[in-house]
Amino acid sequence: GSPPTYRNRPLEVRLREVNAEELRTRAINGDIPKPSCIPILGREGYLVRGWATLLAAYPKAGKTELAVACAMAACQERVLYITEESEDVWAARLESIEQPCSHINIVYGFGVPVAAIMQRIAEGDETLVILDTVRHLLAIEDENNNSEVARAMTPLVSACRARKKTLLALHHRRKNDGEGGRAVAGGHAFMGVVDVVLEMKPDGNQPRRRLLTGAGRVYAIADLLYEMDEDGDLVALGDPMKVSREVVSQRLLDVLTDEWQTTADVTRWLDAPIPSSETVRQSLNGLAKKGDIQRDPPIQDGPAQGKKMSWRRDGA
């Protein structure tokens, strides 16, 4: 059919007021549904329905790939993806994707007046809006100017919130690292106007892995490690601390033999990157508790603090 037309009417956000005790009572009684999430790589707790989320990453680090993976998997949603990329780029990207994507509408927004983009968001029936990236599509000239950032971001967030649309806005990280949103490029207004800030960065020396961290208004955001598999798909690995111990444990199993070795000896056999001594100790003890390796003194004797420990493959 022919594409929809959008009337040039003003965007309105009406004033709403509620008594705090009445709202609290409704929440306790279950009259107000608890927030639910649109999964990111099959994991919940990052993209809350009806909230505004800012995803920041270094240029060309994979934030668009993560957003596209989220959009593709959100087949229960109607997705509006407003992009600064060209049609040729999207054609090449979609050609390599096997799953259906009829629930996604792509708007080429680069150079389009901001008013037209806002009108499209407001009058569309999509439930998830992805803006990639906010600086270019909202024509923010000075991203360090908090007043300018607020003037650009507030109408966007307000329009989505008033219509119960979920917003995922993509942005860049600054060169200097930081925690809790401090690595987001530009002024703090980028973080102040949204409900959740997600930061994505490479994971050390693992070129195919990324670490997703975040901070939210109400809920704590768990760290998530994910990687690109051999087919080019993004796969969630889970908590980075747990994944690290699992990886180290496998590496330790690869170097352990049927001969007793001290902790220092085992560590010397590991290739770079060398894990911390504490990670090695925890991993060895974990393998011994599972029965995969043996410890001297025996793991059944409990902690061996102050004693020299040796290790070997179980069943030798």
Side-chain angles (χ1 to χ4, degrees):
S2 59
T5 58
Y6 301 95
R7 294 179 298 277
N8 187 22
R9 69 184 185 212
L11 301 175
E12 295 182 359
V13 179
R14 297 181 179 180
L15 184 68
R16 298 180 66 249
E17 182 176 336
V18 64
N19 179 268
E21 181 60 27
E22 292 179 2
L23 183 61
R24 187 179 79 94
T25 301
R26 290 169 59 199
I28 293 173
N29 293 339
D31 296 334
I32 299 178
K34 293 186 179 299
S36 61
C37 294
I38 298 173
I40 291 183
L41 304 182
R43 305 297 178 100
E44 297 195 353
Y46 302 93
L47 189 57
V48 183
R49 284 188 173 89
W51 291 17
T53 298
L54 184 76
L55 171 62
Y58 298 125
K60 305 297 186 292
K63 61 182 176 295
T64 294
E65 285 73 15
L66 181 60
V68 170
C70 176
M72 289 292 176
C75 52
Q76 301 302 316
E77 308 288 329
R78 297 182 301 281
V79 182
L80 177 63
Y81 201 118
I82 306 176
T83 178
E84 64 187 25
E85 294 179 329
S86 67
E87 186 171 58
D88 290 345
V89 172
W90 272 94
R93 175 180 291 126
L94 295 174
E95 188 178 16
S96 62
I97 296 176
E98 295 183 356
Q99 64 263 44
C101 50
S102 60
H103 62 290
I104 303 174
N105 292 323
I106 302 170
V107 170
Y108 306 108
F110 190 74
V112 174
V114 175
I117 292 176
M118 294 294 296
Q119 201 70 45
R120 175 63 180 87
I121 292 172
E123 297 191 355
D125 65 352
E126 292 87 2
T127 55
L128 170 60
V129 177
I130 300 177
L131 206 67
D132 183 7
T133 62
V134 292
R135 179 179 181 180
H136 290 154
L137 294 175
L138 297 185
I140 299 174
E141 294 184 4
D142 183 2
E143 64 180 16
N144 295 300
N145 186 323
N146 283 304
S147 296
E148 181 182 354
V149 171
R151 283 194 297 270
M153 292 287 292
T154 299
L156 169 69
V157 174
S158 298
C160 290
R161 185 176 295 167
R163 294 158 179 83
K164 302 187 183 303
K165 297 176 183 286
T166 307
L167 173 65
L168 178 61
L170 275 57
H171 187 46
H172 297 305
R173 286 171 58 94
R174 66 176 80 248
K175 292 182 179 179
N176 298 327
D177 215 341
E179 302 294 334
R182 287 188 290 272
V184 175
H188 60 258
F190 278 111
M191 297 169 287
V193 76
V194 298
D195 303 299
V196 177
V197 175
L198 299 177
E199 299 176 21
M200 183 260 283
K201 62 181 179 180
D203 179 47
N205 296 321
Q206 302 289 333
R208 301 175 72 86
R209 288 189 178 180
R210 297 292 184 268
L211 176 63
L212 191 66
T213 62
R217 293 194 189 279
V218 179
Y219 302 108
I221 307 297
D223 293 351
L224 176 65
L225 193 66
Y226 68 93
E227 69 178 7
M228 179 179 290
D229 64 16
E230 295 180 355
D231 296 326
D233 297 325
L234 302 182
V235 180
L237 300 177
D239 179 83
M241 292 300 295
K242 182 178 179 181
V243 171
S244 295
R245 288 195 294 270
E246 291 175 351
V247 172
V248 171
S249 295
Q250 184 57 55
R251 293 172 63 194
L252 290 168
L253 283 174
D254 291 339
V255 300
L256 283 165
T257 67
D258 57 356
E259 299 290 334
W260 288 106
Q261 301 179 68
T262 66
T263 304
D265 290 335
V266 175
T267 304
R268 275 195 291 269
W269 282 107
L270 294 173
D271 295 327
I274 304 299
S276 68
S277 57
E278 179 62 16
T279 300
V280 171
R281 185 190 68 80
Q282 291 182 4
S283 300
L284 287 169
N285 277 308
L287 289 170
K289 290 177 181 178
K290 290 168 59 180
D292 293 335
I293 64 174
Q294 294 179 346
R295 191 189 76 179
D296 182 24
I299 195 69
Q300 294 82 1
D301 293 352
Q305 295 178 349
K307 298 180 181 179
K308 186 176 181 179
M309 291 178 284
S310 298
W311 315 84
R312 70 176 182 182
R313 281 271 198 172
D314 186 48

